[in-house]
């Protein structure tokens, strides 16, 4: 299969190249930047010298549709919805890594992204590609989930699907490395602003909240709100999420662990840790794994779920390739047998 | 006043030197290491060359009591209780930065520190020096609070003292830089183990939990347990604590903020941030400030408190000097007008 | 003495505040930003809450001259030369931290800064304030040296003044933390661009080269060129310079060390390390020290000088205050007894 | 081919696993730790869960020789020489990543490693596997070069082989991340000792100097000494080497670049950068590339070579696999088509 990548100079685009260059069934046919005019990919991405010998092109949908079988949009939210339309109209397969096609309900995108949404019919048409749960995409337009959303949903899925917790007790304390903030320059992404620092940047206002709620409510209608805050930690890659919720019935540490273990044992990219072991961030960097540890406080009945993933892989490009595999009908691990880079 | 410092080559001891060198009422009379034989302080602490011209001595309580008016123990838990005894017997003033004299109840120290405790009568005699609350030490033996304990107690004080929250709903998600782990070598303090990483290291098992509970119960008898986990983030200094609790009655964001503002306005080292502003870690590094921001989720009734402090200053040496000021009857800011090093 | 600070929200300006707040002879009378309109200093610099209670004002030279006795310009190169002129005309004391008044020779500023220079007469009037060497400023206009220049000149002074080396053999391999690059946003100051990275950014083209050459030639006319490259290392503060040169005559390790020791023994801020000891970066952070270690390779006759300083203190605000002390006739350590923050 | 790995829990051993798991011609038959008794690999190396399902075994040479075709020793210097002997005696293929078999001359190992050497005949038998130059191993005992040695030799090869420089003018200023220091605990590998720091740790005394000299003298007999210092920078992976030397004849920037370009154009893992472009560290992390940029100072005749490599790949496990490929007669890129992880 031939694929084109638009937005290849962003962090998710770069990571798509890293993964797809070693995917046995895929050839990258062309790479595109929506904004910059550049002479060649290796002027801006020197690590790809000798590995990818393609010119960096402007976006030309017609040529892309002639030469490729599918297009990845690794463009920012707000840009994808513009670029995607011609492909959608032509019923050409699109996997979009931005937030532009994730939210179904009217007004949600406007509220959280402070921008006009893609046409309502396209939002309805889009398949929300939470790849560990939906293995058969319902559409040629796949909206790849957000990084925080992926981690939060995988943390909560057993509890919410099996109605185990008091639904108004969910608290998500999420921390991310700086690549999650994208390449855009701002005083908050300056090295000096983040080194030797930790800051909470969105208190109950992150734009991944509505896609989390949308999916949680698909699983359990009784859920109405979550507490969700996001902080930056001084690392390049990785998301570390601590999720708390109160169990409805009294559990034990081992019973809770068995539930998670059973729930995820068939999912190749979710690794439930051994009992009373909590994953550390670095153990998944560079890979498509999402690692989960769980604890139960028998006095307060509070469940703690510790979840780590690489925001650029499981939280972006890796899950996008997992969705490609689903779309193409290949085994979902194809090209995703990435060994974490450790240390 | 002349003071001696035992344990001067540890991180808290080094920080005591930094602060006391500029304290107008204090002279450092001697410095001691309980373990190492070293030729001079600047062989191990080259930053002090030309600033501190004292030999590094072994511990000699008799000479210390002759030459100094008070001794700081910046020694690890387990060591302090041994060294302290001769000073306590002689009714010589001691400010201990370890955990050895913080816990009053029988068996608590043994349970959490996996070690035999100091004599029970000394535990009873010790003054728990939470310096922003207790300004008149009740004893010549001052147990300086732990770094996590200080941050957690300052986060919760208004809520617990004013009985504002459901007492079984408290969740403390605490993160610390590596200086909090001390100088001791272990695979978990190796640079490579922490750089580009975040790891949860104690789930409901940190030894600061009992001193937090002891103090919270002094403030409010109805509290019986908290959820408390601690993680390492890749910075040298600083503690970042996010605390969650459910309010008993419905509040508003502004009402919550007013309560904190009023509660702390007279305390010089606690800076409640402007409304809807959350402190970042680096804004207190090198200073004795503890900065706090609060949020209220009107849907879930969950209060979030974001608290930062420098574990070596407010969480150790700075609070110890604040306790010294209280003990000596000086204004509590004396020698603590430290401007944060920023950036 | 009352001083005003223009450019107070930049890194050097922030550091001036930190130092001057504790300077016994100085009061900060007003603070100014040349560019931004801001409500108050603590909106942008939250660490200063309760420490500095002054409004952030636009630049109003007339009021500054009425209210203050001296003005610090902590503005970027290119801005200082514009702001300074009215003060210079009025013969009002100025200490400028930018590169705008450092270069005497015609055309040099244009060549290295790619910009038109300040008026030639002002360049001539300016005193190049290498504070460890020039203790009596010759002018009310003081050009504070650059951070790399300070470190390089202190590294080479004994060798060049005493004509000890082959003058065409000097190689300076300089590394800096990111605060040296200033607050300006660019892809090269993004956290992700620098974390886990090291990059050489100016090969023989850094704008501090001409001020280094100007000063070296004052000391020794026979010097005609140096090799000078600058790299970024992923730390916030600090410059680490390794300087190499070939000795003219055969030396020994101990003879070389004695020469440095003798040369610097009277200078309070230059600490020559013990023999065969090389300073590490962190031992001077937050202080005005410049620490130096030297080695001699008896086979190749190559001298290695390892020099560290804090670019924001000795390389900017600290040296500026040292120049203020010289200007005012105070002991040069006044207000500069800063203990390094360690670790 | 089946291979066993001894020393698999060290950083180089871990990296061998990462590479060999994806090598098309290799199967890891067993993994061994020389020191620790551990239940399973994923207890200590949680990133390998689901990727490597082998028990961690003690060292049993007999079984290894029965089950495998070759053994990698990823053990520390001093350990390898003990473990290797039984394999060497049995003429069983060994690739050793330590320094134990690199030095040929009598007394060199003793001098630089402060330890008794392997038997002299084994030192003679060993093939020094500088893999970009020696593509046909002369022995079944391959001594994989050191990380600094690899970078330094690749930096200097064109200049030394073509006799272009004054041989006593070579200065190597090498910087390494902390994984280069190995997993061993010491105060100098503590997170707090390295974060926000840079320190020179071996001035003309690093144990890679003799293997560099041995190889340089193979290329050019007139070389007698180099200046070589090594510093630690606060990153996990990567070596950044700046090498200086004076050209014998006057060159130009472009002529120098052409020489390097021509010299390395056939070597798949050495990427000479575009003219006047210098590689940054992160562009090779996770890959087997060594990237080089060169500059010429036409005034001082000083050549600067900037070289980066990943100490765990090109400087250890990657080059070891390249040597395996040479040994087995496979194309040297086999299994080494690793895309750098960027950012």
């Amino acid at each position: 299969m031939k694929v084109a990548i638009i937005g290849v100079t962003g962090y998710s685009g770069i990571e798509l190249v890293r993964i797809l260059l070693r995917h046995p069934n895929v050839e990258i046919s062309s790479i595109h930047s929506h904004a910059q005019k550049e002479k060649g990919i290796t002027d801006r991405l020197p690590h790809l010298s000798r590995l990818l010998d393609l010119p960096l092109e402007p976006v030309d949908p017609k040529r892309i549709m002639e030469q490729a079988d599918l297009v990845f949009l690794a463009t920012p939210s707000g840009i994808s919805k513009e670029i995607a339309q011609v492909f959608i109209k032509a019923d050409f397969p699109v996997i979009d890594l931005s937030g532009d096609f994730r939210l179904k309900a009217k007004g949600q995108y406007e509220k959280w992204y402070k921008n006009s949404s893609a046409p309502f019919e396209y939002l309805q048409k889009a398949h929300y590609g939470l790849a560990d749960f939906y293995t058969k995409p319902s559409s040629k337009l796949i909206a790849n989930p957000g990084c925080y959303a992926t981690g939060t949903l995988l943390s909560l899925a057993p509890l919410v699907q099996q109605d185990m917790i008091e639904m108004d007790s969910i608290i998500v304390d999420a921390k991310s490395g700086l690549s999650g903030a994208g390449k855009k320059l701002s005083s908050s992404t300056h090295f000096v602003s983040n080194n030797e620092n930790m800051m909470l940047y969105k208190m109950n206002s992150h734009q991944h909240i509505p896609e989390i709620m949308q999916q949680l409510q698909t699983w359990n209608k009784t859920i109405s709100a979550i507490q969700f805050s996001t902080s930056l930690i001084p690392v390049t890659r990785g998301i570390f999420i601590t999720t708390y919720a109160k169990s409805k019935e009294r559990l034990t540490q081992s019973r809770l662990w068995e539930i998670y273990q059973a729930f995820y044992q068939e999912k190749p990219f979710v690794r439930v840790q051994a009992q009373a072991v909590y994953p550390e961030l670095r153990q998944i960097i560079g890979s498509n794994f999402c690692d989960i540890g769980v604890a139960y406080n028998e006095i307060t009945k509070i469940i703690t779920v510790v979840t780590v993933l690489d925001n650029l892989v499981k939280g972006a490009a890796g899950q996008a390739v997992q969705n490609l595999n689903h779309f193409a009908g290949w085994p979902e691990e194809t090209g995703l047998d990435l060994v974490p880079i450790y240390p």
Side-chain angles (χ1 to χ4, degrees), chain A:
Chain A
M1 183 184 287
K2 291 187 172 184
V3 305
I5 303 172
I6 299 178
V8 74
T9 60
Y11 297 139
S12 297
I14 296 170
E15 195 67 1
L16 270 174
V17 171
R18 185 175 77 93
I19 297 171
L20 293 174
L21 276 175
R22 299 293 166 256
H23 193 295
N25 304 351
V26 170
E27 181 192 337
I28 301 173
S29 54
S30 61
I31 55 176
H32 308 267
S33 172
H34 67 287
Q36 293 133 331
K37 302 220 167 151
E38 285 146 306
K39 282 169 288 180
I41 187 74
T42 57
D43 285 350
R44 280 181 61 90
L45 302 175
H47 72 291
L48 291 179
S49 170
R50 293 200 189 165
L51 295 171
L52 182 67
D53 190 21
L54 287 173
L56 188 57
E57 303 179 42
V59 179
D60 179 346
K62 192 149 167 288
R63 271 197 52 223
I64 289 174
M65 289 192 276
E66 282 167 13
Q67 297 178 353
D69 303 306
L70 180 145
V71 66
F72 285 99
L73 302 185
T75 35
S77 298
I79 305 291
S80 281
K81 70 186 167 80
E82 304 303 329
I83 295 177
Q85 301 207 16
V86 58
F87 295 106
I88 301 173
K89 273 179 202 146
D91 206 30
F92 187 82
V94 173
I95 298 179
D96 176 37
L97 280 73
S98 85
D100 283 359
F101 296 95
R102 295 178 194 151
L103 304 180
K104 302 288 184 193
K106 253 193 176 136
Q108 286 286 293
Y109 185 84
E110 285 81 353
K111 174 180 171 190
W112 292 91
Y113 288 81
K114 319 284 181 210
N115 196 349
S116 62
S117 79
F120 184 68
E121 59 176 299
Y122 293 170
L123 299 182
Q124 301 315 306
K125 176 185 168 74
H127 165 79
Y128 185 69
L130 189 66
D132 297 300
F133 287 91
Y134 300 108
T135 57
K136 291 185 186 158
S138 55
S139 163
K140 285 187 178 173
L141 170 61
I142 297 176
N144 208 54
C147 50
Y148 284 124
T150 301
T152 302
L153 292 170
L154 292 175
S155 300
L156 285 168
L159 305 178
V160 170
Q161 290 188 18
Q162 301 176 17
D163 203 26
M164 290 171 58
I165 52 174
E166 292 181 19
M167 289 301 157
D168 65 346
S169 73
I170 299 172
I171 293 170
V172 182
D173 190 305
K175 304 93 183 172
S176 175
L178 265 289
S179 64
K183 255 188 173 173
K184 216 180 123 193
L185 301 179
S186 78
S187 65
S188 67
T189 57
H190 194 292
F191 181 84
V192 170
S193 302
N194 288 283
N195 187 41
E196 294 299 284
N197 199 13
M198 175 168 181
M199 69 177 101
L200 192 153
Y201 67 107
K202 289 195 176 170
M203 175 68 82
N204 292 320
S205 57
H206 195 282
Q207 68 275 14
H208 290 177
I209 293 175
E211 70 180 273
I212 293 168
M213 290 306 301
Q214 173 180 286
Q215 185 59 45
L216 289 178
Q217 288 170 337
T218 305
W219 288 338
N220 191 317
K221 288 213 173 78
T222 67
I223 193 165
S224 65
I226 58 172
Q227 166 69 24
F228 188 87
S229 64
T230 47
S231 298
L232 290 176
I233 53 173
V235 302
T236 293
R237 285 178 181 236
I239 284 183
F240 187 106
I241 302 179
T242 324
T243 303
Y244 302 95
K246 189 161 278 200
S247 68
K248 282 186 170 163
E249 314 211 346
R250 203 159 286 284
L251 286 169
T252 62
Q253 168 72 25
S254 63
R255 180 72 195 112
L256 178 66
W257 178 80
E258 287 163 5
I259 289 166
Y260 270 77
Q261 188 65 25
F263 189 89
Y264 280 120
Q265 65 185 348
E266 304 295 328
K267 306 218 177 281
F269 295 118
V270 183
R271 301 188 297 193
V272 174
Q273 306 294 292
Q275 263 210 61
V277 173
Y278 310 98
E280 50 182 324
L281 190 60
R282 60 175 180 151
Q283 74 187 41
I284 45 72
I285 298 302
S287 81
N288 199 47
F289 290 119
C290 175
D291 286 0
I292 296 179
V294 290
Y296 188 65
N297 187 325
E298 303 195 3
I299 305 171
T300 61
K301 291 173 66 181
I302 289 172
I303 293 166
T304 307
V305 186
V306 179
T307 299
V308 296
L309 56 83
D310 184 330
N311 56 301
L312 297 182
V313 189
K314 189 65 184 166
Q319 185 162 215
V321 172
Q322 200 178 344
N323 276 315
L324 170 69
N325 291 341
H326 289 328
F327 177 79
W330 303 323
E332 69 180 326
E333 298 97 326
T334 314
L336 289 172
D337 55 347
L338 304 160
V339 184
I341 191 156
Y342 180 98

